[in-house]
Amino acid sequence: MKEEIIQKISELKKQRNAVILVHNYQKKEVQDIADFTGDSLELSRKAANTTADVIVFCGVHFMAETASILSPDKKVLLPDSASGCPMADMITAEQLIQFKKENPGATVVTYINSSAAVKAETDICCTSSNAINVVKSVKNDKIIFCPDRNLGSYAQKVLNKKLILWNGFCPTHMKMLPEYVALQKEIHPNALFLVHPECPPQTVALADEVLSTTGILNYVAKSDAKEFIIGTENEITFKLQRQYPDKKFYPVTDLAVCPNMKKNNLEKVLNVLEEMTNEVKVPKEIADKAIIPIQRMLEVKPS
Ligand code: 13P
Ligand code: SF4
């Protein structure tokens, strides 16, 4: 049955000239059929450069929106149209417009985990892997950072620069409390602690490295260490354990699951390829504005 679905997906993919882009948090069965898996920045670059006519985006809604903004002539399909990101929903365009009025003259840096309408009110976007370089590239001393207060706090600390933070957060990463990390460190004293910057600042403060999802995967690939405590969504921990059976990976907590990322599955991928439904399309007047901060971000050089 599963093999049949995979076979059908593969045939339809050719027929439709489709590419399947998959975020690192997606279920294993979905990652297994990917043309490309990655973090938000890598997936944006892939979406911008693909020659496919159809992008099946296995991630959450803002990621599919970003792909549609970058490739407006392609059909972007989200297998489960209800897979949103609660953090992205924590700021609306109207709220950002009001916040800009309260902080006149500020440059707006917006995390990619945001709606297209919010990006349209933004000067430059960032992701977890380039936030430090993006904030560094802004010449203004007055910077609004939204919506993730934790990623903003991390950038503040690294750059020793005060940012005007919006009070958004990721409910999944907020579950990774410093006391859970302390407990894991006590049980596994030789383990390195790798963390995603969406975690609370007190948790990030305990980290050996602060990295994006792909950053965590790449760090382990190069490290000689044998044990790791992983401070992000647990799919990364499972993926690492499968990839490196001789090493040991410990989640900070079993509660670190993003329910939205788990909504996509093989049946839903097949369904959108068959029916060409669940298209994510950003209205042109918003997309024309939102593409500017995304392109500015893509031009920031990695350090
Ligand atoms: P990455 O860009 O690090 O993959 O993070 C995306 C995300 O939503 C993390 O919660
Ligand atoms: Fe959004 Fe958090 Fe899920 Fe990432 S893990 S998609 S930030 S809810």
Side-chain angles (χ1 to χ4, degrees):
M1 180 65 183
K2 190 175 165 190
E3 277 61 43
E4 242 174 73
I5 296 178
I6 294 172
Q7 182 57 31
K8 279 193 195 159
I9 290 173
S10 154
E11 283 161 19
L12 273 169
K13 221 176 66 171
K14 278 191 213 120
Q15 224 171 293
R16 308 253 192 238
N17 188 26
V19 66
I20 302 181
L21 302 184
V22 177
H23 186 263
N24 289 323
Y25 291 161
Q26 292 282 297
K27 288 178 182 166
K28 178 182 180 301
E29 62 176 39
V30 182
Q31 298 207 28
D32 286 347
I33 55 147
D35 291 299
F36 185 80
T37 56
D39 65 12
S40 309
L41 183 62
E42 293 173 310
L43 294 171
S44 306
R45 289 196 195 280
K46 283 282 167 196
N49 297 325
T50 180
T51 55
D53 296 316
V54 176
I55 299 172
V56 179
F57 208 114
C58 302
V60 291
H61 190 262
F62 76 82
M63 297 180 175
E65 263 192 344
T66 307
S68 166
I69 293 165
L70 285 164
S71 286
D73 301 333
K74 319 219 155 165
K75 250 188 192 313
V76 180
L77 309 177
L78 186 63
D80 188 313
S81 53
S83 46
C85 168
M87 182 207 284
D89 295 338
M90 286 180 192
I91 187 165
T92 63
E94 292 67 33
Q95 286 172 314
L96 179 53
I97 291 166
Q98 181 57 32
F99 203 46
K100 288 201 286 189
K101 277 192 196 141
E102 288 162 19
N103 297 283
T107 298
V108 179
V109 179
T110 298
Y111 191 27
I112 199 143
N113 296 38
S114 53
S115 69
V118 165
K119 290 184 177 85
E121 294 298 327
T122 291
D123 294 298
I124 185 164
C125 288
C126 72
T127 74
S128 64
S129 71
N130 62 14
I132 302 300
N133 285 335
V134 166
V135 174
K136 229 199 271 181
S137 76
V138 175
K139 295 301 165 235
N140 194 349
D141 271 343
K142 200 170 173 187
I143 299 176
I144 289 173
F145 191 98
C146 70
D148 187 9
R149 67 174 190 231
N150 290 342
L151 180 60
S153 300
Y154 170 62
Q156 271 192 154
K157 201 162 169 213
V158 172
L159 298 170
N160 194 20
K161 188 173 185 146
K162 184 100 187 74
L163 303 175
I164 306 162
L165 300 179
W166 186 260
N167 194 17
F169 57 87
C170 163
T172 300
H173 284 80
M174 285 302 280
K175 292 188 178 133
M176 285 172 253
L177 303 177
E179 47 268 42
Y180 296 160
V181 178
L183 183 65
Q184 288 300 323
K185 281 184 169 228
E186 210 177 296
I187 307 172
H188 313 290
N190 297 322
L192 286 180
F193 177 39
L194 309 183
V195 81
H196 194 280
E198 284 177 17
C199 286
Q202 301 85 337
T203 300
V204 173
L206 301 173
D208 292 293
E209 296 289 339
V210 185
L211 299 157
S212 77
T213 55
T214 294
I216 292 175
L217 298 170
N218 290 345
Y219 185 90
V220 171
K222 289 192 191 133
S223 171
D224 292 331
K226 297 273 179 280
E227 291 179 85
F228 301 88
I229 301 162
I230 302 296
T232 193
E233 213 271 350
N234 286 346
E235 204 64 44
I236 301 288
T237 318
F238 304 147
K239 188 169 170 165
L240 284 165
Q241 195 61 76
R242 287 193 298 270
Q243 250 176 306
Y244 304 99
D246 298 340
K247 299 191 179 201
K248 292 243 177 332
F249 301 93
Y250 313 109
V252 169
T253 162
D254 291 338
L255 301 172
V257 177
C258 174
N260 282 287
M261 282 283 184
K262 301 296 179 264
K263 286 182 177 158
N264 293 326
N265 59 28
L266 289 180
E267 287 81 1
K268 291 177 190 176
V269 172
L270 176 59
N271 186 53
V272 291
L273 272 169
E274 271 172 348
E275 309 289 334
M276 297 297 277
T277 43
N278 293 4
E279 184 178 3
V280 174
K281 187 101 194 122
V282 178
K284 189 173 166 7
E285 61 278 15
I286 293 177
D288 284 349
K289 286 192 201 162
I291 197 166
I292 297 166
I294 301 172
Q295 271 173 343
R296 282 189 187 135
M297 169 188 85
L298 294 175
E299 282 156 21
V300 171
K301 300 262 174 306
S303 56

